[in-house]
Amino acid sequence: MFYTTVLFDIDHTLLDFEATERIAFRRLLKQQDLQWTPEREARYKTLNQALWKALERGEVTREEVIHSRFETFFAEEGRTVDGREVDETYRGYLAQGTELIPGATELLEQLAGNVTMYVVTNGISKTQRARLEGAELTDFFEGIFVSEETGFQKPMAGFFNHVFARIPQFDPARTIIVGDSLSADIAGGNQAGIATCWFNPEGKSATDIKPTFTITSLAELPAVLENAAVLQQ
């Protein structure tokens, strides 16, 4: 393998966060005696994604994201809730989400022993670690780095510096990050001076953020890792 250290994002890359989020949100609405509708789910997702993007830009804190999202959502429903309490309930549901992206386990089994793998993820540590454990993925990784624990959010330089300092014999030229987010994974990796691989199963158009490689299925990744000189764009 040309790339010997692989940093994996997990949501939308190895774990199917869309499925996990959908199930958790519906369970939360039921717990709050509120009927699920497509409009309510879409409104929550828009609100939640906007807050996490603001966090990536350093405009809000993580505490503000996780404690304000449900206060705002339920306020629009005419209800007053304790945002911290409701979010804790919701994250308990999220932590039970172990739905996998097709081919994720098979990919990690194929790579095990050939490369060293780490998790690099934004989110809440307890939730992310519980999902990896429930999906039986934890043992594939030499280390798990969650933004809440590092004190920094992808794509911040501080996050990548934290990770690099904790990888033995770290070699940036032989390291690659794999993830679905141009703004977090690809921009962060580009700025940190490592190769980037955009997991883009929906065939979205790239922005001004340019990945080193693009794949549309996880099965394509081993060829990228092995034949980088040939495949590099």
Side-chain angles (χ1 to χ4, degrees):
M1 294 290 182
F2 179 84
Y3 293 110
T4 54
T5 300
V6 186
L7 311 180
F8 279 103
D9 176 48
I10 57 172
D11 286 325
H12 308 287
T13 303
L14 297 177
L15 293 178
D16 188 345
F17 186 74
E18 292 287 344
T20 295
E21 182 182 45
R22 182 169 59 251
I23 294 168
F25 183 70
R26 294 184 185 193
R27 291 182 67 183
L28 180 67
L29 289 188
K30 183 176 181 180
Q31 189 262 348
Q32 291 288 323
D33 295 318
L34 192 63
Q35 183 178 2
W36 174 87
T37 66
E39 293 75 21
R40 283 183 172 133
E41 183 170 317
R43 181 161 53 83
Y44 166 72
K45 290 178 70 172
T46 298
L47 168 65
N48 187 51
Q49 290 169 4
L51 285 168
W52 283 103
K53 289 294 184 184
L55 179 58
E56 286 181 11
R57 297 189 297 267
E59 297 170 358
V60 296
T61 67
R62 184 177 295 102
E63 290 294 305
E64 288 173 322
V65 171
I66 64 176
H67 296 155
S68 69
R69 55 184 175 178
F70 288 115
E71 287 184 357
T72 301
F73 173 81
F74 283 106
E76 293 174 353
E77 296 287 343
R79 299 187 179 198
T80 300
V81 301
D82 183 324
R84 183 185 299 269
E85 182 178 297
V86 173
D87 192 78
E88 185 173 339
T89 299
Y90 175 68
R91 285 188 284 111
Y93 296 147
L94 281 181
Q96 298 171 36
T98 59
E99 295 78 13
L100 289 159
I101 295 292
T105 300
E106 293 82 357
L107 170 67
L108 298 179
E109 289 174 343
Q110 182 179 352
L111 295 181
N114 296 308
V115 300
T116 305
M117 297 180 283
Y118 296 85
V119 165
V120 288
T121 178
N122 286 340
I124 309 304
S125 179
K126 182 178 179 180
T127 302
Q128 300 297 64
R129 289 181 177 274
R131 294 174 64 220
L132 287 166
E133 186 69 30
E136 299 182 350
L137 299 184
T138 303
D139 290 345
F140 287 109
F141 301 104
E142 290 297 313
I144 296 171
F145 300 100
V146 187
S147 59
E148 183 183 38
E149 298 170 355
T150 68
F152 301 95
Q153 186 90 358
K154 291 183 299 183
M156 294 178 180
F159 180 91
F160 287 89
N161 290 339
H162 177 98
V163 171
F164 297 165
R166 288 159 178 79
I167 295 178
Q169 290 83 50
F170 173 70
D171 182 356
R174 305 294 293 276
T175 301
I176 187 170
I177 182 171
V178 183
D180 71 293
S181 173
L182 287 172
S183 60
D185 304 309
I186 306 308
N190 287 346
Q191 294 164 13
I194 60 174
T196 57
C197 182
W198 184 29
F199 178 53
N200 182 24
E202 298 177 1
K204 298 177 182 177
S205 298
T207 63
D208 57 339
I209 300 171
K210 304 300 182 185
T212 315
F213 309 98
T214 299
I215 58 175
T216 58
S217 75
L218 293 178
E220 298 173 44
L221 183 61
V224 169
L225 302 182
E226 186 170 0
N227 302 307
V230 175
L231 296 176
Q232 191 161 353
Q233 299 171 352

